[in-house]
């Protein structure tokens, strides 16, 4: 089982080693570490791990709470296999078939963003939705620029495609709020797809 674990910890030598030790004791195999931020003496890192069987999230939090200054911000399943290049795969698909750029983007965004589903919408109507999207989606007011919205049960990322006069909504039900590094990555991907699709 592939999981992503977001951890906030003191940014000092040995900090990552402590986290790795706990993960090893829990039987997890670390496949990738992504540093999302380093500010004011703290770091936020995403660990992609291979987990033996079902993860006991309470046990994970309990083990990490014993480490001074370490906080688990979220644990959630992921489909993004470390070492793969899903961004490039998406862009290659869009470049080879730009007329389907929007559909390809919406279908790919959940996997790229560690989310469950996504939709494209304009004027209050859904234009295309990914496979796991619910039949009825409450569409938020489109923002002027990319933004995140954090509800009690769902976290949203809103991405305008201004040149196409539509917006993309990416939803995560499991895991933490979207980090600004995730938002910035998604914006870059959307901008490139938008430019490719505009050539049709």
């Amino acid at each position: 089982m592939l999981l992503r674990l977001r951890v906030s910890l003191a940014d000092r030598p040995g900090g990552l080693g402590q986290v790795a030790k706990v993960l090893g004791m829990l039987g997890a195999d670390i496949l990738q570490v992504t540093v999302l931020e380093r500010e004011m003496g703290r770091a936020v890192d995403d660990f992609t791990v291979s987990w033996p069987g079902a993860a006991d999230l309470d046990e994970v939090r309990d083990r990490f709470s014993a480490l001074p200054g370490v906080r688990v911000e979220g644990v959630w399943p992921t489909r993004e296999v470390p070492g793969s290049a899903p961004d490039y795969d998406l862009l290659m698909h869009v470049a080879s078939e730009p007329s389907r750029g929007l559909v390809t983007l919406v279908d790919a965004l959940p996997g790229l963003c560690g989310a469950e589903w996504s939709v494209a919408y304009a004027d209050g109507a859904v234009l295309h939705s990914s496979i796991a999207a619910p039949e009825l989606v409450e569409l938020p007011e489109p923002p002027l620029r990319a933004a995140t919205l954090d509800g009690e049960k769902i976290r949203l990322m809103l991405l305008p495609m201004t040149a196409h006069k539509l917006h993309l909504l990416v939803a995560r039900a499991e895991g933490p709020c979207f980090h600004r590094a995730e938002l910035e990555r998604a914006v870059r991907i959307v901008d490139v797809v938008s430019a490719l699709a505009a050539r049709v």
Side-chain angles (χ1 to χ4, degrees), residues 6-10 42-44 64-65 67-74:
R6 182 163 298 166
V7 178
S8 171
L9 65 156
R42 290 201 66 76
V44 177
F64 279 104
S65 66
L67 297 176
V70 176
R71 183 175 67 249
V72 175
E73 294 191 358

Side-chain angles (χ1 to χ4, degrees), residues 45-166:
D45 299 334
D46 273 2
F47 292 80
T48 303
V49 299
S50 175
W51 207 274
D56 182 341
L57 302 188
D58 290 332
E59 182 183 5
V60 172
R61 287 189 174 88
D62 287 347
R63 291 283 186 101
F64 279 104
S65 66
L67 297 176
V70 176
R71 183 175 67 249
V72 175
E73 294 191 358
V75 182
W76 70 105
T78 183
R79 292 179 299 235
E80 190 172 338
V81 178
S84 63
D87 303 27
Y88 299 129
D89 291 342
L90 164 65
L91 297 178
M92 196 62 160
H93 284 295
V94 174
S96 64
E97 209 172 342
S99 62
R100 290 186 43 82
L102 176 64
V103 171
T104 304
L105 176 63
V106 172
D107 290 343
L109 276 173
L112 291 172
C113 299
E116 281 79 35
W117 54 269
S118 63
V119 299
Y121 67 101
D123 301 321
V126 172
L127 305 175
H128 180 70
S129 56
S130 65
I131 291 174
E135 284 188 32
L136 295 174
V137 177
E138 188 175 331
L139 299 171
E141 189 66 29
L144 295 175
R145 57 182 159 268
T148 60
L149 291 175
D150 302 321
E152 287 181 26
K153 295 184 179 179
I154 197 161
R155 288 96 169 111
L156 303 176
M157 186 162 39
L158 305 170
L159 306 162
M161 284 185 81
T162 310
H164 301 272
K165 298 181 180 175
L166 57 88

